Amino acid sequence: MSSTDKIIAQARSENRTALLESEAKTIMTEYGVSVPKFQLATNEKEAAQIAQNIGFPVVAKIVSPEIIHKSDAGGVKVGLKTAADVEVAYKTIMENAKKYNPNARLLGVLVMEMAPQGTEVIVGAIKDPQFGATIMFGLGGIFVEVLKDVTFKIAPVNLEEAKEMITGLKASALLKGYRNSPAADVDALAQIIVNVSKLLIAHPEIKELDLNPVLAYAKGASTVDARIIIE
């Protein structure tokens, strides 16, 4: 039984449709999608130790099945540079989460490597009632929100089709490098799309998937946030 099978079975046994971020990232790792190093901490001392093992700076995020929008709950702290910073962040995040939703189960805090800046892109997927698993690719930030500059393809998607999704964007020139930004690694982004396609075909119970942002670099890419909803 794969990690993905186990995670989905566990979520179903708890009547959860939204996977925890740690679960979604474990699935992405199993399917060859690069994510920053992460580990769940259940107290502030453990959080500080994990941060030291990962290396500073780190990000800390609340882990709770009932708190989907972590930022709204005051459940995210970024740019933590010392063990002391992490301990304070752990306490603050837990207090904020309790105030935000007193009934939420607080499983701990995800301590995560802070990924360097890159070009933000989004890889998403929905299960369309008519066409089945459909994958979306777009540039992140303002481009997806304001310009709605995205491309879609029905899974399965091969490497050539994935590259077409990327070059099919109106603003795809931004991925070729501009001003001081280097060209993004289109091959790495295309491989993420292909790997997401494989996941969706293997697990038709996935209803929604959202990798946002994926940070594209001159070499490689890193999936900073992952969200998966199952049926």
Side-chain angles (χ1 to χ4, degrees), residues 181-199:
S181 299
D185 187 340
V186 170
D187 289 346
L189 294 177
Q191 193 59 57
I192 291 173
I193 293 170
V194 169
N195 292 350
V196 165
S197 168
K198 285 177 183 165
L199 168 63

Side-chain angles (χ1 to χ4, degrees), residues 52-180:
Q52 281 173 322
N53 294 346
I54 286 173
F56 296 101
V58 296
V59 176
K61 297 182 183 182
I62 190 68
V63 177
S64 167
E66 287 75 35
I67 300 176
I68 306 297
H69 302 291
K70 302 177 188 76
S71 298
D72 296 353
V76 180
K77 300 286 176 194
V78 301
L80 305 170
K81 295 187 176 73
T82 66
D85 286 350
V86 174
E87 287 191 25
V88 171
Y90 186 98
K91 284 181 194 160
T92 308
I93 285 171
M94 287 304 230
E95 282 162 12
N96 289 348
K98 276 178 199 148
K99 279 185 207 141
Y100 178 77
N101 183 347
N103 300 318
R105 287 168 290 165
L106 307 181
L107 305 182
V109 168
L110 199 67
V111 180
M112 192 176 92
E113 176 185 15
M114 191 159 164
Q117 278 302 305
T119 304
E120 285 191 21
V121 301
I122 293 171
V123 178
I126 53 159
K127 192 172 181 181
D128 185 273
Q130 203 172 346
F131 302 111
T134 306
I135 301 177
M136 180 270 285
F137 179 83
L139 286 169
I142 188 169
F143 292 99
V144 75
E145 286 165 26
V146 179
L147 303 179
K148 306 278 190 282
D149 187 10
V150 294
T151 53
F152 291 93
K153 268 214 169 31
I154 297 162
V157 175
N158 64 31
L159 206 53
E160 198 175 318
E161 290 167 332
K163 285 180 184 171
E164 282 168 13
M165 287 179 76
I166 296 166
T167 55
L169 293 176
K170 294 188 205 77
S172 65
L174 292 177
L175 294 172
K176 292 171 186 160
Y178 63 100
R179 291 192 188 152
N180 301 327

Side-chain angles (χ1 to χ4, degrees), residues 7 19-27 38-40 63 110 226:
I7 286 166
L19 300 188
L20 302 170
E21 185 180 347
S22 48
E23 293 172 330
K25 282 186 166 157
T26 300
I27 289 173
F38 68 92
Q39 200 177 331
L40 181 67
V63 177
L110 199 67

